[in-house]
Amino acid sequence: MVIEWSPSQKQRLRELGRADEGGMEFETVVERDEAFTKEVAYYQSINRKEIRNIQERRERHLLAKVEENIAEALIADGFLEVRTPTIISGNALVKMGIDHNHPLREQVFWLDGSRCLRPMLAPNLYFLMRHLKRNVRMPLQMFEIGTCYRKESHGSNHLEEFTMLNLVEMASMDDPAVRLRHHIQTVMGAIGLEYELSECESDVYGRTIDVEVNGVEVASAALGPHKLDPAHGITDAWSGVGFGLERLLMVKNAENNIKKVGRSLIYLGGARLDI
Ligand code: ATP
Ligand code: MG
């Protein structure tokens, strides 16, 4: 009889970073378990080395570096950086069309009856677009990088807290669709990633233009005038796009699971800590 890794052995080896393909076969359980112990020791030593490397490198956290690269590219291109509260009002969601019947409503982390952790940056950026208009020269190019929160049914592409980069340009002299492509290129160029654009449907924005890398969505974009504009007092044309920074890191580093690159107590720089 041919004996293979047990499901829990497979799981452990996967966690330690061993690629699943080429599963091994054994003649006895004893032989298999001895091989398992050796494999675990081998991958633990790789993980340990990797963690030590991270310590020696004296570099900022991977996510911080991505943030920095993107922020610098955008600022060089004339963008204003903002930081807004992560706690927002339920009313701000209603203005985004996310009312009681909306699918995204189920994904919101509520703090109390009227306040929640933001599932997106757009409500705050809409607010600033309206209020900055009176004070700054146009066009206004603005971005925020910050944490967003959504209850997710734990897939390998989703985190419950993740980092969004949302940029918007309002009242450009040029065609917003052309500007949008330019901004997407600025961000993807800063990361050094090739990508494709595809038209998609979003529960919040309706028609979106998605940025994809090997079929994985890394960003969704929209253009205004938009059906959500009147509720926010916006009348100018705009282009905007929201990227998930962990998604960008995941595809850039060819990781199979977004958890390796997100906020974590289990992973550090892609290496596993519970070794
Ligand atoms: P998906 O369809 O992949 O669930 P979405 O279309 O709901 O994502 P958007 O609202 O378009 O997400 O958010 C913009 C970007 O934020 C996404 O393209 C993705 O890169 C990132 N993002 C959204 N939800 C998550 C999440 N739960 N974990 C990590 N990144 C996310
Ligand atoms: Mg999307």
Side-chain angles (χ1 to χ4, degrees), residues 7 27 29 55 69 85 136 143 166 252:
E27 282 177 9
V29 170
Q55 185 185 24
N69 288 346
V136 300
F143 76 96
N166 205 149
K252 176 76 185 171

Side-chain angles (χ1 to χ4, degrees), residues 202 208 210 217 219-220:
S202 145
T208 62
D210 282 7
E217 174 189 327
S220 279

Side-chain angles (χ1 to χ4, degrees), residues 23-24 45 48 54 67 73 98 104 106 145 148 170 186 204 217 226 237 246 250 252 259 274:
M24 291 167 67
S45 77
R48 237 177 248 123
I54 294 166
E67 273 185 34
I98 305 168
L104 195 67
E106 299 292 307
I145 297 176
C148 291
M170 179 168 77
T186 302
V204 177
E217 174 189 327
H226 193 279
E246 292 84 359
M250 180 179 80
K252 176 76 185 171
K259 291 178 182 61
D274 62 338

